Every structure is written in structure tokens, then in C-alpha cells.
Amino acid sequence: MEELKDIQGLDQISNLPLAIGWWIIIGLASIALLVGLFFLYKRYVYRNSWQFKAYSQLQNLEQELEDNPHKKVLQDLSVELKHIAMQTQTREACAGLSGRLWLQWLKDHDPQSFDWTAQGQLLLQYQYMPGTTDYDVADLRKLITAAKAWVNKC
């Protein structure tokens, strides 16, 4: 019996260095994490931009067409167009414009070349119409769609 030796277990296997498969998985996970963080950052920046706020406001105006008086929607659209104009150009270039000069300025500076002078007459007429006047919803949608296209182009 003296010649028998106790059986000993294997030495503990080390986790390091990792096999190539683990390095590939870690690399892919790191890339996926960086891409995800990049898109989250881009979304955060966009959500805090004037474009997101203007586009959201224009979408709200489009939804309000059915419920609110058209005069109020036109008034809010006019204000929002001034905001968009002042964000894309200097304040001095557009803040003091009104009437036909304002529509001509919109036509000249719109990246989609929408004909504001011909189709934007509602923006001038709403001020002098009674609050109960209903306008053609299709014309109002055209104006809102043109403003949304302007925001998207910026």
C-alpha cells in the first residue's frame, strides 16, 4: 500500500487569456454599444433642436384643423413660419416683414420653392376675416405641408 499514491485533481484552468471567439464577441458587443450610444446621442440632439420643436408644432396644427377654428390655426401657422424664418435666416432679414413682402420673402427663401405669394394669401386674409369663417382644409394642409417640408430641408 505504500506504493499507492493519492489521486490529485487537475489544476484550475485559467480564464485568461481569452480564446479568440471571446475576443470577437467582446469586439462585436463593443461596436454595437458604440453604435447604439451614437444613435441615442443623435436623437437627443435632434429632440432638443428647433427643427424638432417646429415640426412637432406644425403636426399639432395639422391635427387642430378638425377641432379648432381655422382662424386660430392660421394665426398659429403664421407665428410658426416667423419662428422658422428667424431660425434659418437672420432676425433682421425677416422679423419686420408683413403683408405681400412677407409672402415674397417666404417664396424667395423657401428651399422647396413653394409659391407662397399665390397660395399663401390666407396668411394675409385671416386677420380681417371673422373668427367663424371656415377655409378650405385642403388649402390649409398645403400651407402646413410646405412649412413642414421647409423644416425637414433645414
Side-chain angles (χ1 to χ4, degrees):
M1 289 273 237
E2 291 178 10
E3 294 177 11
L4 294 176
K5 296 184 181 176
D6 288 336
I7 299 175
Q8 295 180 358
L10 298 174
D11 292 337
Q12 179 102 10
I13 298 175
S14 172
N15 290 337
L16 296 175
L18 294 176
I20 188 75
W22 286 110
W23 286 111
I24 291 172
I25 290 172
I26 290 170
L28 291 175
S30 299
I31 290 171
L33 179 67
L34 289 175
V35 168
L37 288 174
F38 173 75
F39 282 113
L40 281 175
Y41 175 74
K42 294 286 279 183
R43 182 178 175 186
Y44 172 77
V45 169
Y46 175 69
R47 290 268 182 166
N48 289 327
S49 69
W50 70 268
Q51 288 101 335
F52 176 75
K53 293 172 185 160
Y55 195 83
S56 298
Q57 183 65 26
L58 290 170
Q59 280 185 319
N60 290 341
L61 287 177
E62 198 166 24
Q63 292 170 355
E64 290 177 5
L65 278 176
E66 305 302 326
D67 301 331
N68 288 349
H70 293 163
K71 183 173 182 173
K72 180 180 179 345
V73 172
L74 278 168
Q75 190 175 22
D76 292 344
L77 176 62
S78 183
V79 169
E80 196 59 39
L81 281 171
K82 281 282 188 179
H83 287 214
I84 293 168
M86 285 190 280
Q87 290 292 333
T88 58
Q89 303 291 323
T90 62
R91 182 180 180 89
E92 294 79 23
C94 60
L97 297 175
S98 63
R100 297 195 189 285
L101 289 174
W102 168 239
L103 292 180
Q104 185 62 43
W105 188 93
L106 286 173
K107 180 181 177 183
D108 293 342
H109 291 86
D110 189 349
Q112 299 293 329
S113 300
F114 183 76
D115 191 8
W116 288 97
T117 54
Q119 298 184 18
Q121 291 296 319
L122 287 175
L123 293 172
L124 303 181
Q125 296 169 357
Y126 82 87
Q127 301 172 24
Y128 307 106
M129 296 288 189
T132 58
T133 304
D134 281 335
Y135 301 98
D136 186 18
V137 175
D139 291 340
L140 295 174
R141 284 194 198 284
K142 277 185 201 174
L143 294 176
I144 293 172
T145 302
K148 285 166 59 173
W150 190 343
V151 171
N152 281 340
K153 195 69 172 180
C154 295

